[in-house]
Amino acid sequence: MNWLKKQAGFGMVEVMVSFALLGAGIFTIMEGLDYLERQKTVTDKNVSMENMLSSIVDSVRSNIIMEKVDFQATSNWLNNSTAQAVKDSLKMCWVKDGLIPIANYPNCPGRLGYVVSPMTIGTLEIRGLYFITVRMTHDELYPNNFKQYQFIVRGP
C-alpha cells in the first residue's frame, strides 16, 4: 500500500510534457485554420474573376448586334504584348464588386478590357462567328503579366 501513496500525484515533468503536447496540438489546429482561410481568399478571388468573365461573355453574346466589331483588332489592340502596354490599353477597372471606368479609379490594381473581332481562318472571314478577346492585368495577383481569354460567339 505504500507504493500507492507515492504515486498519488503528477510530477513536474509529466505536467510539462502534457502542456507541450497540448500547445503543439493547438498550434497545429490554428495553423490549419489560417491555411484554410488563405485558400478561401484565393478561391474567392478566382471565383469573382471567373464570374466577371462569364458575365462579360454572356452580355456580349446576348447583345452581339449592339457591340462594335473591331476589324483591325489584330493590328491595333492585340499587338500589345508587354504587360505595361496591355495595362495602358485597358479602359475598365475590375474590383470585387464589378467593373468601373478607369477614369473613376486611376490607380486601380486590376484592369480589364475586351475586343470583339470577326473570326477569321487565314484570309477567310467566317460570317456570323466572332472572337471575344478579354485581357486583364492585376498588380498583386499576377504582377508584370497579363491574362488573355478568347471566346467564340455566334451572331444572329
Side-chain angles (χ1 to χ4, degrees):
M1 270 319 209
N2 279 344
W3 66 274
L4 281 177
K5 289 183 184 177
K6 291 180 184 178
Q7 299 290 327
F10 292 109
M12 186 59 100
V13 173
E14 294 163 329
V15 171
M16 296 298 283
V17 167
S18 64
F19 277 136
L21 289 174
L22 181 65
I26 289 173
F27 177 77
T28 303
I29 290 171
M30 295 304 288
E31 283 298 312
L33 291 174
D34 286 344
Y35 174 77
L36 289 175
E37 184 66 29
R38 287 190 302 270
Q39 292 300 350
K40 179 186 172 297
T41 302
V42 169
T43 302
D44 286 345
K45 287 179 183 177
N46 289 337
V47 166
S48 171
M49 181 182 66
E50 297 216 5
N51 284 340
M52 185 177 43
L53 284 173
S54 177
S55 69
I56 288 172
V57 171
D58 286 341
S59 172
V60 171
R61 181 183 304 138
S62 64
N63 298 317
I64 193 70
I65 295 172
M66 305 301 284
E67 289 291 330
K68 178 183 177 232
V69 177
D70 191 347
F71 291 92
Q72 300 294 322
T74 304
S75 61
N76 295 335
W77 195 73
L78 294 175
N79 260 356
N80 298 328
S81 59
T82 64
Q84 189 60 43
V86 169
K87 183 177 179 177
D88 293 340
S89 71
L90 302 177
K91 303 299 179 200
M92 291 184 279
C93 172
W94 62 281
V95 292
K96 187 169 77 171
D97 299 330
L99 297 172
I100 59 173
I102 200 69
N104 295 350
Y105 188 11
N107 296 327
C108 179
R111 293 188 180 194
L112 179 134
Y114 69 93
V115 66
V116 178
S117 58
M119 184 172 172
T120 58
I121 298 176
T123 59
L124 177 66
E125 183 179 310
I126 301 174
R127 295 183 65 144
L129 290 180
Y130 300 95
F131 267 128
I132 302 173
T133 304
V134 181
R135 286 184 166 182
M136 49 190 356
T137 64
H138 199 281
D139 295 340
E140 293 143 18
L141 294 178
Y142 19 91
N144 299 323
N145 203 353
F146 67 92
K147 299 285 185 182
Q148 177 172 307
Y149 302 92
Q150 288 188 318
F151 304 93
I152 299 174
V153 296
R154 185 172 53 98

